Each structure stands twice: as structure tokens, then as C-alpha cells.
Amino acid sequence: MKLANQQNEGKGNEFKNVLILSGGFTAIFTAYLAIQNLQSSLNQKEGLGLISLSCMYACIIISGILAPAIINIFGEKWTLMISFLSHVIYTATNFYPSFSTLIPSSVLLGLTAGPMWTSQSVYIAEMSYSYAASSGKDEHAILSRFNGIFFAMYETTQITGNLISSLVLQQDSYNESATNETVKYCGKEDCPREVNATLIEEPDRHIVFILLGVFLACDVIGVFLVTCFLPPLKKQVSKQKSSILNSLTTCGKGLVDLNLVLLVPLIMFMAMEQAILWTDYTKAFISCPIGIQKIGFVMATYGGSTTFFALSLSRISKYTGRQALFAVAGLVNLGTLVTLYLWIPSADNVALIFLMPVIWGMAEGIWQTQSNALVAFLFPEKKDAAFANYHTWKATGFTITFVYGNFLCVSTKLIIALTLLVVAMTLYVIVEIRVKRQQRFKH
């Protein structure tokens, strides 16, 4: 399926542009993901960490719907720059976290995140189609390869950011004797605002300030890369001006396509399992049994695993097909969620605490690369609407998980995730059957 008007100012430099875009995201998300992994443990008071994440992802739902209109006004490059500047503000407000500072910056970040991710998806897709057209190579293979490069670099942020996090936080001293006297309810037994809610010991503020200072420098580097080195995409001649009303209509029209509707539960599950890892696993399975200073080290193994699998599996997808990879990801997540439900972590299970994110990373490496490639492949003529829906529903999944995170026990959240996974994979199989039938009719 060839698209018209896929020319851009980076014609002939598609690979370089993908690397620049990936580098900018790597710098920005080195800071953001590490801060996000710490929110449920670092800002426990009155649930500020989870509430701020809930507000952020709720705003991403709105910004995801409005993404086509926003991108039409500013273009993909300037949309990315505005969002990256919002990351600078968000990191800065974490120096003095409160409801009056962290919530507004979270809202701002959420309002720019939807257009940012839609711009990223469109930019990668345009580079892929342009490169495929000039080289004569298979479109889906190039989509998978370029998405693999992007998400491999993106997932290294779980290594860089989290290593920085733990290396800085372990400079502090933690009162182990006091911790040992405290009754802890780890793993699935952790429940919010109940008798069995465990309070994690937080590091001194001056240590946190050093950590945030490093992350602020990373944000500035990301802004610099995109501003100075990323060329803007040329507007397609056939592209109509998009108002906010048109943007809402466009996003709504995307849901007229049955394939997209059937993929919604899978998109929401991909968000839900990530939210469980970022908040429940980091607090109930890492901070609770072995301390907040170990979160970065454990999550770095997840980043390394995700990077490896995103890069390697995206390269072999042309041999295995996406169906086999989706099946592997579904089975891996099924196994990890069941394990979390059956296992109560302790300081004696350090090896397993580190191993779980490594296994989890295999599934994430597949979800990240193959889901983006699938959406671009299924909806080549309406990428803006398709990706706007994709990121909107993903944000919905995050928001729902973070909101009930302040009210439900970890065991209940795991059961909800397992149920959604079964439904999502069933509907995904139906999508693949429909795609094969449609291709058969074309031939």
C-alpha cells in the first residue's frame, strides 16, 4: 500500500532522522521514566504520586483526541519541542512536590503528551514509507525495523535513568533496624489506605535534589537535539486543515473501523501491565522487601531486557510474522501476572525480584514495536486518526489503572489485568482473521 506525497525535508536521510528522534526521546525519558518509577514510593503522602500520574494520563486522553488538530497547527517537530519543554517544567516541579506544584505540571505534561506520541508515530511511519519507496523494500518490514530502532533506544532509558536513580539514592543512609521492626505487607497483599498498607522509607531531600538535577540536564539535552537537528515533515498536499471539531470527528471516525475497535482492549492492556510494573511492582515487590534505593537497579534490568528484545525481535519479525510475536508476548504477560499473584516477595528472593522484570521486558519489547507497526500497517491512509486513537486508548488504560490504584489491593489489580489480557488476545485473533480475509479478497 503506497502513499502519495510522502516526501519530506529529510528525503534520503530517513535513517539519520530516526536516530535523532530516538536520541531526543532517550534523553527526555531517561529523566521521566525514572521519576515515574519512583512516584508511588517517593511521593506517598496522601497518594500524591499516584494522583499526579492519574491527572497526567487523564489529560493525555484529551490531548490524544485533539492531537490531529494540534499537529496541524504546529507540525510534528514543533509539537515535539513544546512537549519536551513541558518535561523540563515537570522535572523542575518535582524538586518541591505538592498538590499545588506537581499536579499542574502533570496536567501540562499530559496535555502535550498525546500530540507528542502521535507526532512520533507519524514521523516514524513517514520515514518508513519514504525509505521503503526509495529502496523498494517491504513496507511492513521497514516499519518494524524503524520502530525497533526507536523503541530499542527508548527502552535504554529504563537502564540509564534507573541506574542514575539507584546510584544517587544509595548514597543516602537508611535505617534498616527501624524498617525491620515494621510489619510489611508486600506483593499482592499490599493494599492502599488500609491497615496492611506499607509506608516506604524515603531518602533525604538533598539526595533527591541531586537526582533531579541530573534529570533536568537530560531534559535540556533532549530539547537541544530535536530543536537543532530534526527536520520538519512537509505537509501533505492532500492534507486538509484540521480544527478541534474536525480532530474530534477524525478520532471518532477511527472507531468506525471494526479492526480498531477490536484492538482497543489490547491497547488498554498494554497500558495496564506497564502501569502495574511502574507502580505496584516498584512499590510492593521492590521497595517493600528490599528498599527504595534498589528500584533503579531492578528496573534497569527491565530496560536492558526490553531494549534487547525490541531490537532483536523486530529484525526477525519478517521471518516469524507478527502473529507469533504477539502470541509470545501474551503468554509471557500471562505467566508474569500469575506469578505475581502467587508469590509473596521477601529479602530472600532478590534473584527473583530482579528476574521478573527481565522476563517482563520480553513481552514489552514485542508490544512496543509490533503494536505501532500493526497500526501503521492496518491504517496507512489515516495514520493521524489511528495513532490518535491508539494513544488515547492507551492513556485511558493508564488513567483507569492509576485511579483505582489508590483504592484496590494489588491482588485485585492483578486479577483485572489477567481478565483483560484474555479478552484482548481473543479479539486480536479475530482482527488477524479479518485481515487475512480482506487480503484474500483483494487478490
Side-chain angles (χ1 to χ4, degrees):
M1 290 174 280
K2 306 292 183 186
L3 293 178
N5 301 313
Q6 289 172 339
Q7 295 178 342
N8 56 78
E9 291 184 13
K11 186 77 172 173
N13 295 308
E14 294 90 350
F15 186 73
K16 184 185 76 172
N17 293 339
V18 170
L19 289 178
I20 293 170
L21 179 65
S22 303
F25 271 80
T26 299
I28 290 291
F29 281 86
T30 287
Y32 172 73
L33 290 179
I35 293 173
Q36 180 177 252
N37 289 339
L38 292 169
Q39 280 294 354
S40 61
S41 297
L42 204 56
N43 295 315
Q44 305 167 76
K45 191 175 181 181
E46 298 180 353
L48 175 59
L50 281 178
I51 292 172
S52 67
L53 291 174
S54 301
C55 293
M56 181 190 303
Y57 283 95
C59 290
I60 294 177
I61 298 173
I62 300 170
S63 67
I65 295 173
L66 300 178
I70 295 171
I71 293 171
N72 184 75
I73 296 171
F74 296 104
E76 287 80 4
K77 174 177 176 173
W78 283 96
T79 299
L80 290 168
M81 288 171 56
I82 293 169
S83 180
F84 281 14
L85 288 171
S86 299
H87 276 269
V88 174
I89 296 172
Y90 175 74
T91 301
T93 59
N94 273 273
F95 279 88
Y96 299 97
S98 67
F99 282 91
S100 61
T101 58
L102 195 55
I103 299 302
S105 68
S106 297
V107 169
L108 175 63
L109 195 59
L111 290 175
T112 60
M116 176 194 70
W117 281 110
T118 301
S119 295
Q120 174 272 324
S121 298
V122 171
Y123 203 100
I124 294 290
E126 288 293 334
M127 293 298 103
S128 301
Y129 283 119
S130 176
Y131 184 81
S134 61
S135 65
K137 295 184 178 180
D138 178 69
E139 290 176 348
H140 188 267
I142 299 300
L143 281 165
S144 181
R145 180 184 173 189
F146 280 9
N147 275 289
I149 292 170
F150 174 84
F151 283 106
M153 291 184 66
Y154 169 78
E155 291 299 342
T156 61
T157 60
Q158 287 282 7
I159 303 174
T160 53
N162 286 307
L163 283 180
I164 292 169
S165 171
S166 276
L167 288 172
V168 173
L169 291 179
Q170 74 173 359
Q171 302 305 312
D172 202 359
S173 58
Y174 296 86
N175 191 335
E176 295 296 335
S177 60
T179 303
N180 291 335
E181 291 171 4
T182 305
V183 177
K184 290 187 175 183
Y185 296 89
C186 302
K188 73 171 184 179
E189 295 182 353
D190 182 45
C191 297
R193 299 180 183 178
E194 299 291 341
V195 176
N196 57 332
T198 298
L199 187 65
I200 306 301
E201 186 180 4
E202 298 179 8
D204 292 335
R205 290 311 297 175
H206 77 277
I207 295 293
V208 176
F209 286 169
I210 294 171
L211 179 63
L212 292 173
V214 175
F215 288 152
L216 197 59
C218 292
D219 286 334
V220 172
I221 292 171
V223 173
F224 174 74
L225 282 174
V226 170
T227 303
C228 298
F229 300 107
L230 189 71
L233 295 176
K234 281 186 177 178
K235 286 193 175 183
Q236 296 180 8
V237 177
S238 60
K239 198 170 185 178
Q240 295 180 344
K241 288 200 173 285
S242 181
S243 64
I244 292 178
L245 181 60
N246 287 337
S247 189
L248 289 168
T249 305
T250 299
C251 197
K253 282 181 179 178
L255 288 176
V256 174
D257 192 299
L258 183 57
N259 284 340
L260 185 57
V261 174
L262 293 173
L263 287 175
V264 166
L266 181 60
I267 295 169
M268 291 184 69
F269 170 77
M270 287 188 288
M272 185 176 291
E273 54 91 12
Q274 280 187 296
I276 288 174
L277 177 67
W278 294 339
T279 57
D280 297 312
Y281 191 82
T282 55
K283 181 175 183 289
F285 291 85
I286 304 176
S287 287
C288 183
I290 61 176
I292 188 174
Q293 70 275 22
K294 297 295 194 299
I295 288 179
F297 291 137
V298 176
M299 293 302 289
T301 64
Y302 164 75
S305 173
T306 308
T307 301
F308 171 77
F309 286 109
L311 194 57
S312 59
L313 294 180
S314 66
R315 297 300 293 260
I316 69 170
S317 65
K318 60 182 177 182
Y319 305 110
T320 62
R322 64 175 177 269
Q323 298 89 344
L325 294 179
F326 272 109
V328 169
L331 289 172
V332 169
N333 269 148
L334 180 66
T336 53
L337 292 171
V338 170
T339 301
L340 294 187
Y341 189 82
L342 298 175
W343 165 53
I344 303 299
S346 70
D348 298 326
N349 308 136
V350 174
L352 187 54
I353 291 172
F354 274 83
L355 180 61
M356 285 301 295
V358 174
I359 299 171
W360 208 314
M362 179 188 296
E364 196 57 40
I366 295 172
W367 294 136
Q368 292 280 28
T369 58
Q370 296 304 311
S371 61
N372 274 269
L374 177 62
V375 171
F377 179 74
L378 292 179
F379 312 102
E381 303 292 343
K382 45 184 177 180
K383 293 191 298 296
D384 283 9
F387 280 120
N389 269 286
Y390 174 82
H391 294 300
T392 298
W393 285 109
K394 203 166 185 180
T396 303
F398 279 123
T399 303
I400 293 172
T401 309
F402 289 138
V403 167
Y404 67 53
N406 272 322
F407 304 99
L408 300 181
C409 295
V410 172
S411 57
T412 305
K413 287 183 268 189
L414 292 173
I415 291 174
I416 293 172
L418 283 165
T419 303
L420 183 59
L421 173 60
V422 173
V423 173
M425 292 307 293
T426 302
L427 296 180
Y428 164 71
V429 171
I430 295 174
V431 171
E432 290 291 0
I433 293 172
R434 283 173 49 82
V435 170
K436 282 200 175 295
R437 285 180 178 174
Q438 290 168 359
Q439 289 177 337
R440 198 175 299 131
F441 287 141
K442 287 182 179 179
H443 295 297

